[in-house]
Amino acid sequence: MKPFFFEEKPYGIFRAGLSLDGYNAVMRGSRRQTIVVSGVLFLIGIVVFTLLALNQTFEVVNKSYTEIRSFTTAVLESMETGVVAVDSQGRVTVLNQAAHQILKVNSSVLLRPYDEVFPDDPLRLKELLSGKETGGEFETEILGSTVSVSISPLYDSEEKVSGGTALLRDVTAIRKMEQEMKQSERLSLLGDTAASVAHEVRNPLNAISMAAQRLEEEYAVKEGMESAKNFSRILRQEVKRLDGIVSQFLSLARPSELNLQKSDLNRLVTETVALAEGEAGPLSVEINALLGDIPELMLDPDELKKAVINILRNGMEAAGKGGSVSLSTRVDGDMVALRIEDTGKGMSKEKMRKVFQPYFTTKERGTGLGLSIAQRVVADHGGRIDVDSTPGKGTVFTIWLNVPPFEGSV
């Protein structure tokens, strides 16, 4: 508002002004927008902060999960016990390295149906999932090995079966050692009575043999006594056979003192084959020898020859008419292998387990001591005998002997 004049005299007052209603409205709208934008920005900040926190938490959890999974995998792979797990749908979810070796499968079986990979259900996991099995331990034969299996079900939060696990241990070597210990105990008991029994048996055998020889000499000068002389001859032969059984019994029961010396195994095999060829002829059995380049060994030639001839005779009798027995030698690492293979009928797994047990035989007139003696002789040399046989395809005996570090050898 401002006064104005006319010819130097006041005339009136002039009032001029601008309305602020629009301005104030704009300002009020601007404040509201500012508040809304601030709120939105605040909410966006909270969301961004939450996302960052969640992302960081996820990374921490993921890292922890990865570390736990890596640790669990490392533990499973380093275990000597095989681990197999299946889920509720019967898919293989876990199979560690030890299980690969025992079951002879690879990682490609993971997530495949268990009954497709193992149709015979050797681990009984299919029965476990179906409720026929409730868990427990048992031993079974898997691919020629004795395996101890422990199975147990897995439960979910509702106590329903959600899968199953199997723990596997190859106990073949343990069971073999137990058998050897039992056999050693049996031989120890035999050794306590062997000498006295042999003495008591051989004395009357010698008397019978001398009486039979005397009778044969007396009948020789008389006519018409051919049948009596034949009986006397048979009597002497059976006495000789019984004396051989007593000798085998003593050889098995008494610990032998080896006369070890540098020996050529190939030469020993050649001499043994020459001895056996006289018996092979009437049996129509062919003997073949393929001898490799092997070093000298510390052996007792007489004792080891006894072991080889026992296995060779066993092979000739198993091969039968028209069959054959093959012998071969080779170096395998720090050991020499003597392989004796026949073309006989072979043996079942059950017979293979018993083949070295004293008095076990499948022959009508066998004593069951020959292979036991062979095993004892080879064991005295610090070696071992392996046997592998398939019904209808023959049997293979392999004698393993250590190569000694002779003086001056590198």
Side-chain angles (χ1 to χ4, degrees):
M1 185 175 63
K2 187 176 181 180
F4 67 91
F5 300 87
F6 182 77
E7 293 183 357
E8 302 299 330
K9 292 181 181 180
Y11 180 80
I13 298 173
F14 175 77
R15 181 176 182 180
L18 179 67
S19 175
L20 297 177
D21 291 341
Y23 171 78
N24 290 332
V26 171
M27 290 302 293
R28 286 194 298 272
S30 177
R31 282 195 294 272
R32 283 196 299 271
Q33 290 178 356
T34 302
I35 293 171
V36 171
V37 170
S38 298
V40 171
L41 291 175
F42 179 74
L43 291 175
I44 292 174
I46 292 176
V47 171
V48 170
F49 178 79
T50 302
L51 290 175
L52 290 173
L54 289 174
N55 183 63
Q56 186 175 5
T57 303
F58 173 77
E59 289 181 354
V60 171
V61 171
N62 186 56
K63 183 179 179 181
S64 299
Y65 170 76
T66 302
E67 290 177 351
I68 293 172
R69 183 175 181 179
S70 298
F71 177 75
T72 304
T73 301
V75 170
L76 284 173
E77 294 301 320
S78 63
M79 291 175 62
E80 294 184 359
T81 299
V83 180
V84 179
V86 295
D87 60 17
S88 58
Q89 298 177 2
R91 296 175 302 184
V92 179
T93 55
V94 175
L95 194 78
N96 70 346
Q97 186 62 34
H100 287 315
Q101 296 175 354
I102 294 173
L103 301 173
K104 302 296 186 295
V105 295
N106 54 41
S107 57
S108 65
V109 304
L110 289 173
L111 300 183
R112 287 176 56 188
Y114 167 82
D115 55 358
E116 178 184 305
V117 180
F118 307 106
D120 296 334
D121 193 20
L123 309 181
R124 302 183 187 174
L125 288 177
K126 185 177 180 180
E127 294 186 2
L128 185 71
L129 294 179
S130 65
K132 294 180 181 179
E133 281 279 354
T134 58
E137 296 185 6
F138 60 92
E139 287 190 3
T140 184
E141 290 291 322
I142 299 179
L143 300 175
S145 298
T146 304
V147 180
S148 173
V149 183
S150 175
I151 58 174
S152 58
L154 298 175
Y155 298 98
D156 58 18
S157 58
E158 298 178 356
E159 295 300 318
K160 294 181 179 179
V161 176
S162 61
T165 61
L167 304 180
L168 320 177
R169 287 191 306 121
D170 189 337
V171 295
T172 305
I174 296 175
R175 296 294 175 262
K176 184 177 181 181
M177 189 179 300
E178 289 176 350
Q179 291 179 357
E180 290 175 351
M181 290 179 64
K182 290 179 180 178
Q183 183 169 339
S184 178
E185 291 174 358
R186 286 195 296 267
L187 294 180
S188 178
L189 293 174
L190 286 173
D192 293 338
T193 58
S196 59
V197 169
H199 177 74
E200 294 298 327
V201 171
R202 272 182 166 164
N203 281 343
L205 283 180
N206 289 334
I208 294 171
S209 179
M210 292 174 64
Q213 184 177 4
R214 177 69 180 274
L215 289 173
E216 188 175 349
E217 291 173 352
E218 290 185 2
Y219 291 141
V221 297
K222 296 181 180 180
E223 295 181 1
M225 302 299 291
E226 290 299 325
S227 60
K229 287 190 289 184
N230 287 335
F231 284 131
S232 176
R233 191 178 302 110
I234 291 172
L235 184 61
R236 292 181 60 191
Q237 289 174 352
E238 290 302 305
V239 167
K240 184 177 180 181
R241 190 174 70 86
L242 287 174
D243 187 65
I245 293 173
V246 172
S247 297
Q248 284 185 324
F249 180 73
L250 286 172
S251 178
L252 177 64
R254 291 185 308 196
S256 60
E257 296 182 3
L258 299 180
N259 179 24
L260 297 176
Q261 53 189 283
K262 283 186 181 181
S263 304
D264 183 352
L265 180 61
N266 283 344
R267 181 179 178 182
L268 185 149
V269 171
T270 302
E271 294 174 352
T272 305
V273 169
L275 289 173
E277 282 179 341
E279 301 176 26
L283 295 174
S284 299
V285 175
E286 181 182 358
I287 302 178
N288 302 305
L290 181 62
L291 307 179
D293 185 13
I294 60 174
E296 288 187 318
L297 305 175
M298 291 299 294
L299 308 173
D300 184 326
D302 293 335
E303 284 292 305
L304 191 63
K305 190 179 294 184
K306 185 189 303 181
V308 176
I309 194 67
N310 278 336
I311 298 176
L312 185 53
R313 282 174 176 162
N314 190 79
M316 289 190 299
E317 293 174 1
K321 186 175 182 180
S324 65
V325 180
S326 300
L327 297 88
S328 62
T329 56
R330 61 183 172 86
V331 176
D332 189 341
D334 58 352
M335 303 193 80
V336 168
L338 168 57
R339 178 186 173 98
I340 304 173
E341 180 177 4
D342 67 61
T343 59
K345 297 180 180 179
M347 293 183 286
S348 64
K349 291 182 179 179
E350 183 63 26
K351 289 181 179 179
M352 274 197 292
R353 293 193 193 96
K354 299 178 180 179
V355 73
F356 294 115
Q357 292 182 7
Y359 310 116
F360 175 77
T361 181
T362 59
K363 295 175 289 188
E364 293 182 1
R365 292 176 62 86
T367 62
L369 295 175
L371 292 178
S372 298
I373 292 171
Q375 187 187 48
R376 194 267 303 161
V377 170
V378 173
D380 288 346
H381 280 80
R384 72 176 194 274
I385 304 179
D386 293 339
V387 58
D388 184 27
S389 185
T390 303
K393 294 186 178 180
T395 303
V396 178
F397 287 91
T398 305
I399 298 175
W400 295 93
L401 298 168
N402 293 305
V403 177
F406 293 120
E407 289 187 21
S409 62
V410 179

